[in-house]
Amino acid sequence: MEMKKRLNLELRNKKPAEVKELVLDNCRSDDGKIGGLSSDFENLEFLSMINVNLLSVANLPKLNKLRKLELSDNRISGGLEVLAEKTPNLTHLNLSGNKIKDINTLEPLKKLSHLRSLDLFNCEVTTLISYRESIFTLLPQLTYLDGFDTNDKEAPDSDPEVDGLEDEYDENGEEGEEEDEEDEEDLDEDAVDDEEDEEDLDGEEEEDGVDDEEEEEGEDDDEDEDLPQGEKRKREIEDEGEDDPDEDDDDDEDD
């Protein structure tokens, strides 16, 4: 797809001034040049044109608010003075996979006073002796080159704006953790309550068991009271006979 058509699709009925991020990756440039982009995108902060077969950035319009520019996997070999003129507030520039061979080609970037991160992966210039030292000397405003600072400390994955969102997420995450802890405490309290309820139920069951035994004994006594006097006496004698079998044996021996 041609860059102009892709640009119209990305607008999605928006006005250019309403767009802050624009991704035109993998479309076809206009004879190696930027096409369709104008200074009407005055609030654009992020622009990505990866693998669009660019030979030059000469047609880049004035974009004062642009902070991050992705130009990797093209065929750019020079002409970077345009960036200093058209994107004065640029902080991140990715030129990986282009045809940059010499340190001097990057000299125009000295005018980008806000430039903090520069990527040149897979460019021939990276094979030069003392490449990193030379770049940091040429561009003292840089913090990160190819993702690492002068002390080989890796750059964060996101820019300050995204970091702000991450901080907000962390705060929400901490709140979420506090809520989880409160939920766990509630669950523990519920578990204790359940154990106490079970103990109460066990106690009630034991009491019910004792009451049932007492009721059964009472029922036996009631049955004895309901018997006629003769039957009651007979039953008592039988009970005594069952209780004292040894006495019967003694009587037999005496006989």
Side-chain angles (χ1 to χ4, degrees):
M1 181 183 294
E2 293 182 358
M3 186 176 289
K4 291 180 181 179
K5 291 182 178 179
R6 174 70 178 275
L7 187 57
N8 290 330
L9 286 175
E10 292 293 331
L11 279 174
R12 298 176 183 175
N13 298 321
K14 291 182 180 180
K15 295 179 180 179
E18 297 174 345
V19 179
K20 290 187 176 183
E21 296 185 5
L22 187 59
V23 178
L24 303 174
D25 300 346
N26 303 311
C27 63
R28 292 196 306 273
S29 61
D30 187 6
D31 293 329
K33 297 179 181 180
I34 299 170
L37 200 62
S38 69
S39 57
D40 291 337
F41 290 86
E42 57 188 19
N43 292 311
L44 197 62
E45 296 178 3
F46 174 83
L47 175 60
S48 182
M49 294 185 288
I50 297 173
N51 189 33
V52 297
N53 201 34
L54 279 181
L55 296 172
S56 169
V57 291
N59 287 3
L60 188 68
K62 184 79 171 180
L63 300 170
N64 284 327
K65 293 186 177 182
L66 193 69
R67 298 177 64 248
K68 190 169 184 177
L69 180 59
E70 293 280 347
L71 295 172
S72 59
D73 298 329
N74 286 292
R75 295 190 293 164
I76 299 168
S77 58
L80 300 183
E81 60 274 2
V82 175
L83 297 180
E85 178 185 350
K86 301 295 180 65
T87 60
N89 292 304
L90 201 64
T91 60
H92 293 69
L93 176 61
N94 192 341
L95 291 169
S96 301
N98 279 281
K99 305 296 182 180
I100 297 171
K101 299 179 180 181
D102 302 318
I103 298 290
N104 293 337
T105 304
L106 301 168
E107 191 164 354
L109 300 182
K110 292 170 65 175
K111 296 181 180 179
L112 291 172
S113 59
H114 301 289
L115 190 64
R116 296 292 176 265
S117 177
L118 175 64
D119 289 311
L120 296 168
F121 288 112
N122 297 323
C123 290
E124 191 173 337
V125 68
T126 62
T127 63
L128 298 177
I129 298 174
S130 302
Y131 150 71
R132 289 183 60 81
E133 291 81 356
S134 299
I135 296 295
F136 277 118
T137 300
L138 177 68
L139 306 172
Q141 75 272 35
L142 275 187
T143 302
Y144 299 104
L145 175 61
D146 299 332
F148 292 87
D149 65 10
T150 53
N151 297 317
D152 290 331
K153 182 179 179 181
E154 190 173 5
D157 293 334
S158 53
D159 57 27
E161 289 186 357
V162 178
D163 287 341
L165 295 176
E166 289 178 352
D167 292 341
E168 182 179 347
Y169 174 82
D170 290 340
E171 291 176 1
N172 294 334
E174 289 176 1
E175 292 176 359
E177 288 178 1
E178 291 176 359
E179 292 176 358
D180 291 340
E181 290 177 358
E182 291 177 358
D183 292 340
E184 288 178 0
E185 291 176 0
D186 293 338
L187 288 174
D188 292 338
E189 291 177 0
D190 292 340
V192 172
D193 292 339
D194 290 340
E195 289 178 0
E196 292 177 353
D197 292 340
E198 289 178 1
E199 291 176 359
D200 293 339
L201 287 173
D202 292 339
E204 291 177 0
E205 288 176 358
E206 290 177 0
E207 291 177 0
D208 291 341
V210 174
D211 293 340
D212 291 341
E213 290 178 2
E214 292 176 353
E215 288 177 2
E216 289 177 0
E217 292 176 359
E219 288 176 359
D220 292 341
D221 293 340
D222 292 339
E223 288 178 0
D224 291 344
E225 290 177 358
D226 293 339
L227 289 174
Q229 193 66 26
E231 292 291 333
K232 184 177 180 182
R233 177 60 182 165
K234 183 179 179 181
R235 185 166 182 176
E236 289 175 355
I237 293 170
E238 290 175 353
D239 291 339
E240 290 176 359
E242 291 175 359
D243 293 338
D244 301 325
D246 294 338
E247 292 179 3
D248 294 341
D249 293 340
D250 293 340
D251 293 340
D252 292 339
E253 291 177 0
D254 292 341
D255 293 340

